[in-house]
Amino acid sequence: MHEMGIAQELVRIALEALPRDLKDPKVASLNLRIGKLSSVVPHSLTFCFEIITKDTPLEHARLDIERVPVVIRCDTCGRQWEADTPVFRCPDCENGQVQMISGREIDIDSLTLME
Amino acid sequence: MEIKIRKNILEKNLTEADKNRSFFREKKVFVLNMMSSPGSGKTQTLCRTLAQLMPDIQVGVIVGDICTTNDADRLAKTGAKVTQINTDQFGGDCHLTAPMIDTAARQLGCDDLDLLIVENIGNLVCPAEFDIGENARVVVLSVTEGEDKPVKYPLMFQVSEAAILNKVDLLPYLEFDAALAVENMKTVHPGMPVFELSAKTGQGFEPWLEWLRRQL
């Protein structure tokens, strides 16, 4: 689906973050945070990433993906909970006015260079 | 050695979406992003919507499809200004991005528009993830799909401000539980207005038009 576009952006951001004074840098891993509600499939993202990083400093870099849980907070009673099913109604007061605290991340946190 | 980056991978699209928002604010045009799976009846819903809103409200449409101009051709017959985005001839992107909308909106010209509707590419997954600088999102589900689609594709229904349940004229011929479909939508997005209508017959259309007029 759209994982190729996301992989391309990821590569662009990672390459820009590499120190320019390093000769022949090699990246060991990219540390990502992907929310469970975001429509990104880690397996597809890794597949696309491997294809487009051949012959670049990112070739063979590992994608370490932390899945961020879906955390919701009720606007009415302030209850905060982790959702494991797509139910966005407060379990206490049944109110529907809620805020999404986490779960939609598609973030790169850092990269690790090879020693 | 670890290098901290801390960025949203889609930041480029988000920046472009913010630019679009400023452009639309400057032009005083309200932008609606309409999304659904293929075949839910987005185009027919739009054809009837445009016929009812125009000429009091000036509407422009950006139609996104992988290929063909079929939808744009249908919509142009309403007299609205229409432009088509094709993402590729034989299978391109499955969603519209903010830069595509920028190009299309400038090509269309927004000076005399009150409302710009973007008919996104038929897909219940990817379009939900890409901000295009819209003011509101509407998801269309039709009764020929399944009652459980909202819980199968929660992000789409969670990010939408309103939903349409289309093709209700077919309910007598189907084993589709409309009440369950609406309940599922409200489980994923409590409080979201759901308009049960038929774009073909016009049944139930007025509350949808009222909602839309109130947004402008």
Side-chain angles (χ1 to χ4, degrees):
Chain A
M1 305 296 264
H2 58 302
E3 277 80 0
M4 183 53 98
I6 291 175
Q8 285 168 331
E9 278 303 294
L10 174 61
V11 167
R12 185 186 63 81
I13 294 169
L15 290 177
E16 265 178 21
L18 289 176
R20 302 203 188 287
D21 52 354
L22 271 187
K23 225 182 183 180
D24 195 22
K26 291 224 181 317
V27 176
S29 66
L30 297 182
N31 305 304
L32 312 182
R33 301 179 78 241
I34 307 285
K36 285 188 178 168
L37 193 65
S38 74
S39 39
V40 175
V41 181
H43 177 77
S44 305
L45 183 62
T46 306
F47 178 76
C48 297
F49 180 79
E50 283 171 4
I51 293 172
I52 60 175
T53 50
K54 206 173 172 317
D55 301 324
T56 76
L58 299 167
E59 187 172 8
H60 305 307
R62 197 177 61 246
L63 292 188
D64 279 339
I65 300 176
E66 177 196 343
R67 297 310 306 270
V68 184
V70 178
V71 176
I72 304 165
R73 187 172 61 218
C74 174
D75 278 350
T76 308
C77 72
R79 158 115 187 228
Q80 194 163 308
W81 74 98
E82 187 179 322
D84 46 15
T85 55
V87 177
F88 291 80
R89 180 175 282 128
C90 178
D92 281 350
C93 69
E94 303 224 324
N95 195 295
Q97 288 295 327
V98 296
Q99 299 293 326
M100 188 103 62
I101 305 298
S102 70
R104 288 202 60 194
E105 295 78 359
I106 306 181
D107 297 344
I108 172 165
D109 191 43
S110 64
L111 63 80
T112 314
L113 291 173
M114 272 186 201
E115 296 303 324
Chain B
M1 186 175 81
E2 190 183 20
I3 298 173
K4 283 283 171 202
I5 300 176
R6 292 210 175 104
K7 275 187 179 172
N8 184 325
I9 299 171
L10 295 178
E11 61 157 14
K12 204 165 139 192
N13 187 67
L14 289 171
T15 309
E16 293 298 319
D18 283 338
K19 280 192 211 160
N20 287 354
R21 243 184 299 279
S22 304
F23 173 74
F24 293 136
R25 203 180 303 124
E26 191 187 302
K27 298 287 178 192
K28 297 188 175 66
V29 55
F30 184 89
V31 181
L32 190 73
N33 183 3
M34 210 164 186
M35 302 178 282
S36 79
S37 53
S40 68
K42 282 193 299 301
T43 309
Q44 191 153 19
T45 303
L46 277 183
C47 283
R48 188 173 282 272
T49 301
L50 297 179
Q52 303 277 329
L53 292 182
M54 292 175 69
D56 300 344
I57 296 169
Q58 286 304 313
V59 194
V61 186
I62 295 174
V63 189
D65 276 301
I66 287 172
C67 49
T68 82
T69 59
N70 295 351
D71 288 357
D73 297 344
R74 281 169 70 189
L75 286 161
K77 288 184 189 146
T78 63
K81 278 166 74 172
V82 183
T83 189
Q84 173 88 45
I85 298 174
N86 280 147
T87 55
D88 192 24
Q89 203 174 355
F90 295 108
D93 282 339
C94 48
H95 58 275
L96 296 177
T97 60
M100 293 182 200
I101 297 301
D102 174 55
T103 309
R106 286 172 199 278
Q107 187 184 325
L108 192 71
C110 293
D111 287 339
D112 51 352
L113 293 184
D114 305 303
L115 171 66
L116 174 64
I117 302 179
V118 177
E119 185 184 332
N120 217 309
I121 296 171
N123 180 342
L124 280 178
V125 184
C126 316
E129 205 65 85
F130 288 82
D131 188 350
I132 54 172
E134 70 275 61
N135 298 96
R137 289 163 289 256
V138 172
V139 56
V140 184
L141 180 72
S142 65
V143 300
T144 49
E145 297 170 58
E147 298 94 341
D148 58 353
K149 290 291 179 281
V151 287
K152 280 186 171 170
Y153 302 92
L155 184 63
M156 177 59 78
F157 290 85
Q158 172 54 217
V159 301
S160 295
E161 275 78 19
I164 287 174
L165 183 64
N166 193 20
K167 307 188 189 180
V168 294
D169 55 304
L170 294 177
L171 283 172
Y173 313 105
L174 302 169
E175 289 177 7
F176 184 91
D177 186 340
L180 177 60
V182 173
E183 191 187 315
N184 282 336
M185 291 193 208
K186 301 216 173 193
T187 297
V188 175
H189 193 153
M192 174 174 64
V194 180
F195 305 105
E196 298 176 51
L197 55 82
S198 163
K200 187 177 172 192
T201 67
Q203 180 189 338
F205 224 74
E206 201 44 48
W208 152 244
L209 293 173
E210 264 172 43
W211 180 85
L212 194 49
R213 285 192 188 104
R214 269 205 314 275
Q215 308 302 310
L216 305 178

